[in-house]
Structure formats: C-alpha cells, structure tokens
Amino acid sequence: TTGQMETAISRVYALYGTVLQDSFYSTVNRDALDTLEIPAGSTIAGSLYGIMDLANQQVADLIRETSDSSPAAGSAQEKIKILYDNIIDMDARNAAGITPIEDDLKAIDSIRSVSGLDDVILLEGTVSALSILANFSLTVDPQDSGSYMTVFLPASASLAKEIYSGQSETQKNAYLKYITTLLTLCGEEKEKAEADAQAFFDFEKQIADASLSVADQYDLSKVYNIYSLDQLKSLFSAVDLQTVFDRTELKDDSRILVQDVGKMTQVARM
C-alpha cells in the first residue's frame, strides 16, 4: 500500500540518509534508535515513554490490588476503591441521570449576562464560570526557561481551525451531534438543542477564524506578546478581569503573556 511504501522510504532514509554532523540527536542516539522497539498497541517509543508506561502499569496494579481488597474506613486505599467502583459503575450513573449536576444546570440557566458568569461556580471545577471565557495561569517564560510568568488564557475553539472553515463536514457534523446529544441529556428538546449546538459552533468558529495557524503557533515573535493587566482590562470592558486575576492569587500583573493576540481580541469583542 501507499502507507507501507511511505513507511519503508522513511525508515531507509532514517537509516542511511542522515548526515552525522547535521543531526546531533540521531548521531548520539544511533544505537538506541536502531534497536528501539515500539510496544504493541503504541505508536511511539523512547526512554521517557518507557518510564511513563512503567509508571502507568504500576498505578494500574495498585488500583487493581486496592479495588479487590477491603481497605480500612477513611484510608487512602478506601478513597481509591470508592472512586474506582464509582467510575466503572455505568448502570448507577445512567440511572442517576442528570441528578448529580442539577444544581449546576440550574445555575447555568440563571445566567442572563456575561457579568453573571462571575457569580457562578460550575461543577466545583472553576473559581467562577467567568474563567471559562477568560482566565490567568502560570507558564514557563518562553524566553527564559528558568523562570515563570503570568499567562492570559482567553476562550479557545475546541476543534482544529480547518474544521470550522468547512474542510471536514464529517467531523463538523459529528461535533454538532455530540453537542446536541449533551444538551438533550441535560433536558433540552431536540430542536432547541440542535439550534443551540449550531450557535455554539458558530461562536467557536469566530474564535477559530481569528486564531493563529498551527505553524504560527511555533513562531516566537507571534506568540510572545506582553500586556499589563490594565491593558487587558481596557480590552475586556464587559468582564471583571480584576476579580478573575485576584482569585488566581497570582502576583505579577505588569507582565502578562498573551500567546494569540488575534484570538484574544476576538473573544474581547464577543
């Protein structure tokens, strides 16, 4: 097949086509690369991946051993067992339906404005629902790997940019069906769920259209943009960014990294 031929050509080039002085990594690791085996079911291999596989196996063995035992009440092992049993008990979760998240759904229904997001905490996973649209975090400084800096995280599109531009109707339709299914499971009628799913897709499309391409995301000159909190607040006039920032308990509001100015500006307009 074409795929097999491409694999063969790639392997021949990797074996004979590398000029030693042009590839430090390939030269230093030649013996390891020549003898490396990709484990069954994996698509990649290497020293770090081997360590990760070993750690994952150790965790799986620990969970299996704990779930088959009768741990003492209140112990860490009992918590692991309870979580594991809950995760695999699909019948109980299906029977419970939306009951466990009814309060969150009611909170979402009560929101009438962007400012209203600030007063809602969703699924105990957000400081406020507003952080879904605009949030702050820490990241390694791209120009100094020995230090951290504050990074601003505006809302992002869930899918690749190409899907929103119509290059894959199959993936687009699958995504719309997925959102529609979630909304119907949360109690919406199918017709309204379909309309809301399309509205959400259109919302994300605007963000995707304004976002950097994959290639540009690796261009430091385009992803290293420094703003102050005051500058960001002037862009997001309808959002209380000061409260969002304060709740993160971060300190430096004078140098905030913005990795995609186009995307940030579009989210601010919306």
Side-chain angles (χ1 to χ4, degrees):
T1 65
T2 301
Q4 291 170 327
M5 179 60 71
E6 289 175 347
T7 299
I9 293 172
S10 176
R11 289 177 176 174
V12 170
Y13 179 79
L15 185 61
Y16 299 109
T18 302
V19 179
L20 297 185
Q21 61 265 35
D22 288 347
S23 178
F24 176 80
Y25 180 84
S26 297
T27 302
V28 172
N29 298 283
R30 173 51 64 89
D31 291 340
L33 293 172
D34 286 345
T35 59
L36 191 64
E37 294 185 6
I38 299 178
S42 299
T43 59
I44 196 168
S47 299
L48 291 178
Y49 294 101
I51 294 173
M52 290 169 58
D53 290 340
L54 176 60
N56 288 337
Q57 185 58 52
Q58 291 173 333
V59 171
D61 292 341
L62 175 63
I63 293 174
R64 188 177 301 107
E65 177 184 339
T66 303
S67 65
D68 292 338
S69 66
S70 300
S75 65
Q77 288 81 1
E78 184 194 40
K79 295 176 183 178
I80 292 174
K81 179 177 175 62
I82 291 172
L83 177 60
Y84 177 79
D85 289 344
N86 180 61
I87 290 174
I88 65 172
D89 192 355
M90 291 289 293
D91 292 338
R93 291 213 304 280
N94 288 337
I98 66 172
T99 301
I101 61 170
E102 275 187 325
D103 289 342
D104 295 286
L105 297 178
K106 290 177 181 177
I108 292 172
D109 286 338
S110 69
I111 298 172
R112 294 292 179 268
S113 65
V114 173
S115 60
L117 291 169
D118 191 47
D119 300 321
V120 176
I121 297 176
L122 298 177
L123 302 172
E124 299 183 355
T126 62
V127 175
S128 76
L130 184 57
S131 63
I132 297 173
L133 291 179
N135 201 10
F136 298 89
S137 185
L138 275 180
T139 189
V140 175
D141 189 334
Q143 292 190 349
D144 180 7
S145 61
S147 63
Y148 286 86
M149 66 187 307
T150 303
V151 59
F152 180 58
L153 303 172
S156 297
S158 304
L159 306 178
K161 193 170 186 175
E162 294 75 17
I163 298 175
Y164 296 97
S165 62
Q167 296 183 34
S168 177
E169 286 298 310
T170 300
Q171 288 177 286
K172 172 185 174 180
N173 292 333
Y175 186 52
L176 288 171
K177 181 179 179 181
Y178 169 70
I179 300 173
T180 299
T181 301
L182 291 180
L183 293 173
T184 53
L185 289 173
C186 290
E188 286 194 9
E189 296 296 330
K190 183 178 180 181
E191 184 175 337
K192 185 177 187 308
E194 289 176 343
D196 286 346
Q198 184 63 55
F200 182 70
F201 182 88
D202 295 341
F203 170 82
E204 288 199 320
K205 183 180 186 305
Q206 294 180 63
I207 297 176
D209 289 345
S211 300
L212 292 173
S213 66
V214 174
D216 286 341
Q217 291 173 21
Y218 291 90
D219 185 338
L220 185 61
S221 66
K222 295 180 180 178
V223 300
Y224 197 83
N225 309 285
I226 305 302
Y227 285 71
S228 68
L229 181 59
D230 286 339
Q231 288 175 312
L232 295 176
K233 285 160 62 176
S234 67
L235 292 171
F236 287 79
S237 57
V239 174
D240 187 357
L241 280 190
Q242 184 66 58
T243 297
V244 177
F245 182 83
D246 291 342
R247 286 177 175 175
T248 65
E249 298 186 2
L250 294 169
K251 304 302 180 186
D252 187 2
D253 63 3
S254 61
R255 295 187 73 255
I256 299 175
L257 177 65
V258 175
Q259 297 171 313
D260 191 330
V261 173
K263 178 176 70 174
M264 177 195 69
T265 304
Q266 180 59 39
V267 174
R269 292 196 192 106
M270 301 166 77

